[in-house]
Every structure is written in structure tokens, then in C-alpha cells.
């Protein structure tokens, strides 16, 4: 920063200089507009100007530590020349006040609006239009048709037309431009009277038809990547010991090849014959493995994991003596701020590993801050670097003077895809997949249908209100997402029950068979989907492993002590074909037990009763007792 700029900054050392500014530029002279401040940052307690209205590039605030700095700027030179002044005017309004009837836009939303408006400015400029007020609804209609013919990534070998979501982003940005321009000296006419961006794009219809939920990671993929991540964590201490050993060695001044050879020899003496390069690679993979474990077992979003700092865990003990582990971070998604998550010990192990993993990087970061402060104590990069102090999921930016920063979402998505490929999967793994998978597994744990990692998710089988009582600082939206998954699982189960060809056992199951066969059943509902949803919402459903129980409580002995009771006509039980293997195994065990001579008359009577129940329910499900369930010939 030169002397003139430094002097100018001192005129705006207090935040009120920014807060007290006008929220629109309508009626201002060019000099008055150019003097406006756009963003400021605190550097060691003092306010420093980051961007002014006159600047060709506006740097916005960095909302989360995983934000990519290049995606927090507005480059007005990218705007078609005739529209650069109005682009500044509308973006200034968006930054200061946001849109009517919408919450204040964050950095990502502001940059998205700006980016998506660039094609519109280019389109109207190519038509010879030079002012916003000259843009007519007819021109906007032409833009709509042009967008419908636009291709995504036209340089690709196989480009495709913009999806409804892409069209909606473009059209809604034009609506934002129209609204924001009313606070400028060049208001724009309504782009498409009597219709909306949603209708023109078909986005709302496509969401209803295709669904907008995050894809659910297949169990096979999840289990594979988690198992590999867990196995890598088992080697963590060994890898970190080797790193600390070689980093602690001192050597005389040597050329790079000679220094590498000396370090490789030193590692070989410690039993590591794969070289320093492989060690560094394995350490980077260890970081990814820790991310996989923490994301899988906490349900945290990427930015919440990025906010994790050293020693972000602690434990409590409840009245029964049960230990609960908690992970501390921040959440900006819903404005929750400092938030906590209940995690199993395996996640705590990963956090401890990352505390140690990040120590050398944190030393580099502190050295960077000291160097910046020595050159210019008001350098805004000092404030930027401060945000990453203590962070554990960090990396070295080799392109930018080896700066240490928290990894961004794009970096993580690339690393996760690479990790999945190393596990033998081509599934496009990304950060946002873990949250839904966690919600799904937590729901299945409560539903009793968890086939993997049961010990890590059993703490989620607690009642939700009990969870909240244990810690009011927990992130509550995760509970809502788990409940959504529960409802979806229930609807899938009920959908199977109401399939006319599906055999069912248990008293409630037999009742369902009779009910679904009545002609008036479907007539009670608008559609089959409505019927399924209604039954699922009105029925208490949980799995005890050998049946679905629809009772309002879990006090029945059929849930644990007497499993065959569920198959013998219990009015709350539904037994499906998925339970057949369980009853087959029970049958085989009972046959073996029946041959034991010392079980007594009472024991033999009970064995015969339970054998009869197993045979009956297997027959109802279309199976015969055998080495493995086979459909009966009848």
C-alpha cells in the first residue's frame, strides 16, 4: 500500500464511515459515488478500506474460511462497456440493502447475481442497446429464447442445453436487475409483464418432477470409503512420527536433490523405504481420511468442518454415567453461530489426529502474519490470515508464496473424488453428500434397519427431545433432516406393505392384506401416493430387527425376549419378506435345540411352539424352511 493510499485509509478508520453511507446512488454526482466505501476490514483492531466504489474490482467480505477468495470479487471490466456504470449502481444497492422481500444477500449470492447477469449485458449490448432504460420486454423475450438455445460448456465434446435450474438463475437475475435499477438514475422496465422467471424457466415444475434433494450416497460406496478412511487413521501416529522426525533433522546447506537424498536415507533408517514424496502423499491422504470420518459421523456441512479449530471436542457424562462426546464449530447456514454436534469416539480420534497434523502448518501461518506485519501493519492480508489461525483442515497454497489457508469446497470435492477412485468407485463424491448420508443412517438407526456402523450411530437412537436436553447448543436443522429421512423411509416401507402382490405376516400385516383388497380403500384417497403418505404419517413404525412394530411403545416382549411372538398374530406386528432369513435362522437354531435331551418338558413345549410360529410365518411369506429361504412350490 503506497503512502497516498495509507493516508486516505486513515480518513476511514471507524466503521461508522461505512455504516452511515447512503444505500443507493440515485442523484449522486460521479465524485460523490466514487467516494463511497464498499467494504472494510479490521486489521489488528483498526478499520482499513478494502474496496471503494471507484475501483474496477470490488472485494467482498469472506463469509467462511472455506471460501475461495477469487469467488468473492466483482470484476466490472467483465461487464459490457455501456453497462458498467449501471452494473456498479445496482450491485451497490444489492450489497447495501438487498432485494425487497428477501433476506440480505450474502457474498456468494451477490457474486452469483453479478456473474449470471454478465450474459444478459453482453446480449443486449450485441443488439446495440446502450442503456438499461432502452431494454424492452421484446428484447427480454429474445433473451429468454436465446437462453433456451444456449449450451452448457459449448467447448465440451458433448454440450447440452441449459437445465431449468440454469435458466431460472439467468431469468431471476434479470428480475433482480429490474428491481434494483429502480434505485438508480436509469430504471429498467419490467422484463416480462404478467409472468415470472420460474414460469419461463420451468424450474418449479422440474423440481416437482425430478426432486431437488441431494443424491443419497449408495451404501456400498459409503461403506467402502469409510472402511478405507478408518484403516488410514490406524496408521496416523506412525505417519506423523515419521514426519516430525524428518522435519526435526538439521542438514548443512545442500542442493535440493542432495537434501532429498539425505532425508530419504534418514527415513529408510526408520524403516520407511518409500521416500519422502510418498510420505507427503500419505499425509495428505490422511487429512482426507479424517475429513471422511468426521463428515460421516457428525453430519456437518463443509463450512462447519472448515471452521473446526484445535481441541474442538470435549465430553460430558449424564446421570446414568454415559459419556457423550461433543464437537464445537460454527454454522452460518441458518445464522446459528457457535454450534455443537454429538459425535462418537471415532470422530474424536480423527479430530485429535488433525490437531497434530496441522501443527506445522499453523507455525507457517503465524510466520506469514509476522512477516506481513513487519512490512505493513495495516495490510488487509493480516486480517485474512488471522481467520485461519487454529484451523485444522488447512493446506499450503504453493502458487501463492506457500500461504497456509483452510481448504475450499472445490479443493475438497476434488480430493474426495480422488479418494473415492482410490477405493474403486467412480461415484462423484462431494462434500454435500455426507450430510444426507448421515441423516439417512441416523434415521435407519432409529428405525432399526442399520446394517453398518451401528455402534457409531446408536447415540442417535435417543429421543430428539433428550438430545436437545443434553446440549442446547446443538445444530437443530440436522434433527429436521433426520426426521425427513425417517418419513421417507416410512413411506418406502408402507409403499411395500400396500403393494397388492406383497405377502405379509403378523397380525397387523394380515389386517393390511384384508384392507388393501377392499374396493373402497383407494377411493378414500386422491391417489396411491396419497394413500401411502397418509398411512405412513398416521402409523407409528419402527423395526425391532425381526418385524415392524406399529405399537405406540416398545414394551412388548416380542421386541426382544420373545421374537417369534411378532409372527403369531400380534396385532401390532408386520413381517415382510425381508425378515424371512431371520425366521429361517431361528427355525434352524430351534431344530438343533429340540434335539437337546436336557431342556425338559416345558422347554420342549416352548421350542415346538416357536418352531410352529417360524414355519407358519415362512409359509405366509412364500418360503419353506430350508438351508436358505426358498419360495414354496405352492
Amino acid at each position: 500500500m503506497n503512502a497516498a493510499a495509507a493516508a486516505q485509509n486513515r480518513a476511514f478508520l471507524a466503521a461508522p464511515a461505512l455504516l452511515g453511507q447512503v444505500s443507493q446512488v440515485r442523484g449522486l454526482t460521479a465524485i460523490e459515488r466514487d467516494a463511497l466505501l464498499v467494504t472494510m476490514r479490521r486489521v489488528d483492531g483498526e478499520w482499513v478500506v478494502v474496496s471503494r466504489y471507484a475501483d474496477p474490482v470490488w472485494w467482498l467480505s469472506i463469509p467462511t474460511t472455506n471460501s475461495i477468495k477469487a469467488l468473492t470479487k466483482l470484476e466490472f471490466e467483465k461487464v459490457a462497456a455501456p453497462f458498467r456504470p449501471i452494473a456498479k449502481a445496482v450491485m451497490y444497492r444489492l450489497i447495501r440493502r438487498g432485494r425487497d422481500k428477501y433476506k440480505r444477500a450474502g457474498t456468494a449470492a451477490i457474486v452469483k447475481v453479478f456473474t449470471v447477469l454478465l450474459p444478459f449485458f453482453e446480449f443486449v449490448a450485441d443488439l446495440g442497446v446502450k442503456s438499461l432504460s432502452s431494454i424492452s420486454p421484446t428484447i427480454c423475450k429474445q433473451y429468454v429464447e436465446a437462453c433456451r438455445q444456449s449450451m452448457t460448456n459449448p467447448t465440451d465434446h458433448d454440450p447440452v442445453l441449459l437445465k431449468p435450474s440454469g435458466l431460472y438463475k439467468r431469468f431471476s437475475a434479470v428480475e433482480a436487475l429490474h428491481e434494483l435499477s429502480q434505485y438508480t438514475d436509469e430504471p429498467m422496465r419490467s422484463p416480462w409483464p404478467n409472468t415470472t422467471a420460474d414460469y419461463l424457466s420451468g424450474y418449479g415444475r422440474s423440481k416437482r418432477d425430478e426432486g431437488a434433494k441431494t443424491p443419497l450416497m449408495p451404501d456400498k460406496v459409503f461403506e467402502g470409503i469409510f472402511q478405507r478412511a478408518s484403516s488410514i487413521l490406524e496408521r496416523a501416529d506412525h505417519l506423523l512420527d515419521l514426519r516430525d522426525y524428518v522435519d526435526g533433522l538439521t542438514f548443512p546447506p545442500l542442493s535440493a536433490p542432495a537434501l532429498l537424498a539425505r532425508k530419504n536415507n534418514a527415513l529408510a533408517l526408520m524403516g520407511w523405504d518409500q521416500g519422502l514424496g510418498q510420505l507427503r502423499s500419505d499425509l495428505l491422504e490422511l487429512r482426507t481420511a479424517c475429513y471422511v470420518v468426521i463428515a460421516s459421523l457428525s453430519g456437518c456441512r463443509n463450512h462447519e468442518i472448515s471452521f473446526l479449530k484445535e481441541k474442538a471436542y470435549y465430553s460430558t457424562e449424564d446421570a446414568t454415567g454415559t459419556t457423550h462426546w461433543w464437537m464445537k464449530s460454527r454454522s452460518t447456514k441458518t445464522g446459528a453461530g457457535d454450534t455443537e454436534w454429538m459425535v462418537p469416539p471415532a470422530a474424536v480420534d480423527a479430530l485429535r489426529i488433525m490437531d497434530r497434523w496441522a501443527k506445522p502448518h499453523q507455525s507457517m501461518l503465524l510466520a506469514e502474519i509476522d512477516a506481513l506485519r513487519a512490512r505493513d501493519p495495516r495490510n488487509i492480508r493480516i486480517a485474512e490470515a488471522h481467520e485461519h489461525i487454529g484451523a485444522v483442515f488447512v493446506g499450503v497454497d504453493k502458487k501463492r508464496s506457500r500461504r497456509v489457508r483452510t481448504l475450499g469446497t472445490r479443493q475438497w470435492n476434488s480430493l474426495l473424488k480422488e479418494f473415492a477412485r482410490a477405493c474403486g468407485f467412480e461415484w462423484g463424491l462431494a462434500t454435500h453428500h455426507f450430510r444426507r448420508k448421515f441423516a439417512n443412517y441416523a434415521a435407519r438407526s432409529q428405525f432399526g434397519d442399520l446394517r453398518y456402523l451401528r455402534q457409531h450411530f446408536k447415540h442417535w437412537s435417543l429421543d430428539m427431545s433428550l438430545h436437545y436436553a443434553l446440549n442446547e447448543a446443538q445444530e437443530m436443522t440436522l434433527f429436521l433432516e433426520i426426521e425427513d429421512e425417517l418419513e421417507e423411509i416410512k413411506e418406502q416401507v408402507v409403499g411395500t406393505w400396500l403393494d397388492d402382490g406383497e405377502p405379509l405376516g403378523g397380525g397387523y400385516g394380515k389386517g393390511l392384506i384384508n384392507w388393501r383388497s377392499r374396493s373402497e380403500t383407494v377411493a378414500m384417497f386422491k391417489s396411491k401416493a396419497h394413500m401411502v403418505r397418509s398411512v405412513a404419517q398416521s402409523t407409528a413404525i419402527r423395526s425391532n430387527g425381526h418385524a415392524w412394530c406399529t405399537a405406540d411403545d416398545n414394551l412388548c416382549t416380542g421386541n426382544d425376549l420373545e421374537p417369534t411372538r411378532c409372527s403369531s398374530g400380534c396385532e401390532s406386528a408386520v413381517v415382510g419378506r425381508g425378515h424371512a432369513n431371520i425366521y429361517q435362522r431361528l427355525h434352524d437354531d430351534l431344530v438343533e435345540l429340540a434335539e437337546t435331551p436336557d431342556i425338559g418338558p416345558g422347554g420342549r413345549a416352548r421350542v415346538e411352539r416357536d418352531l410352529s410360529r417360524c414355519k407358519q410365518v415362512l409359509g405366509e411369506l412364500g418360503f419353506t424352511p430350508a438351508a436358505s429361504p426358498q419360495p414354496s412350490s405352492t
Side-chain angles (χ1 to χ4, degrees), residues 16-89:
L18 179 60
L19 298 177
Q21 288 184 163
V22 295
S23 60
Q24 60 189 38
V25 299
R26 184 170 53 193
L28 298 184
T29 66
I31 294 176
E32 290 171 330
R33 286 197 306 269
D34 289 348
L36 293 172
L37 305 181
V38 178
T39 48
M40 300 178 73
R41 295 196 71 169
R42 290 178 73 94
V43 179
D44 289 341
E46 292 190 58
W47 285 98
V48 176
V49 175
V50 177
S51 295
R52 295 181 177 79
Y53 194 95
D55 295 339
V57 177
W58 291 357
W59 290 96
L60 307 182
S61 61
I62 299 177
T64 57
T65 53
N66 69 334
S67 299
I68 299 173
K69 188 176 180 182
L71 300 181
T72 63
K73 63 180 178 179
L74 307 181
E75 298 180 86
F76 291 100
E77 290 183 352
K78 291 185 175 181
V79 179
F83 296 99
R84 287 173 191 168
I86 194 64
K88 280 192 172 184

Side-chain angles (χ1 to χ4, degrees), residues 568-605:
S568 65
C570 172
E571 294 303 315
S572 298
V574 182
V575 182
R577 284 189 290 187
H579 301 112
N581 279 320
I582 296 170
Y583 287 96
Q584 174 67 55
R585 289 197 298 271
L586 280 172
H587 174 275
D588 294 344
D589 291 343
L590 289 166
V591 168
E592 185 176 342
L593 184 60
E595 297 173 355
T596 305
D598 56 353
I599 60 174
R604 190 172 304 282

Side-chain angles (χ1 to χ4, degrees), residues 279-477:
L279 176 60
R280 300 296 190 208
S281 177
D282 286 0
L283 286 166
L284 293 177
E285 189 176 48
L286 173 60
R287 179 184 60 188
T288 304
C290 287
Y291 183 100
V292 168
V293 169
I294 293 170
S296 298
L297 300 181
S298 69
C300 282
R301 303 176 181 92
N302 177 258
H303 81 272
E304 294 157 351
I305 294 178
S306 297
F307 273 130
L308 286 170
K309 295 186 180 294
E310 57 186 350
K311 296 183 180 178
Y313 50 87
Y314 70 96
S315 64
T316 60
E317 189 173 292
D318 63 22
T320 66
T322 302
T323 298
H324 302 284
W325 283 97
W326 306 95
M327 184 175 77
K328 302 178 294 182
S329 186
R330 289 173 55 198
S331 181
T332 64
K333 180 73 174 181
T334 58
D338 293 340
T339 315
E340 300 185 2
W341 293 261
M342 180 184 284
V343 293
V348 177
D349 292 341
L351 289 169
R352 289 191 175 114
I353 291 169
M354 286 310 302
D355 282 356
R356 183 179 174 190
W357 190 99
K359 282 187 180 301
H361 294 76
Q362 284 298 320
S363 297
M364 293 172 64
L365 180 60
L366 294 176
E368 177 196 346
I369 293 173
D370 288 342
L372 289 170
R373 191 176 285 127
R375 289 196 296 270
D376 179 5
R378 298 177 56 75
N379 191 328
I380 60 172
R381 286 173 57 190
I382 296 173
E384 176 190 320
H386 258 287
E387 294 177 351
H388 304 273
I389 291 179
V392 293
F393 282 105
V394 292
V396 177
D397 189 343
K398 297 178 180 179
K399 295 181 180 179
R400 298 177 182 271
S401 304
R402 295 186 60 80
R403 293 188 308 185
V404 172
R405 295 291 185 271
T406 305
L407 270 64
T409 306
R410 285 185 177 179
Q411 292 167 290
W412 274 122
N413 286 339
S414 176
L415 291 170
L416 290 171
K417 287 178 176 59
E418 180 182 334
F419 191 84
R421 284 193 294 270
C423 296
F425 303 113
E426 290 300 325
W427 204 76
L429 186 61
T431 58
H432 63 281
H433 293 139
F434 288 99
R435 185 172 177 87
R436 186 178 177 204
K437 192 62 180 177
F438 175 90
N440 179 264
Y441 261 51
R444 286 162 59 182
S445 176
Q446 291 188 55
F447 206 69
D449 187 35
L450 187 60
R451 291 169 288 177
Y452 186 65
L453 297 176
R454 182 182 296 274
Q455 70 275 22
H456 296 312
F457 286 90
K458 66 182 179 182
H459 58 285
W460 279 98
S461 297
L462 296 169
D463 182 77
M464 292 298 182
S465 59
L466 177 56
H467 262 287
Y468 188 73
L470 286 169
N471 189 341
E472 294 184 8
Q474 291 182 89
E475 189 227 334
M476 298 306 297
T477 57

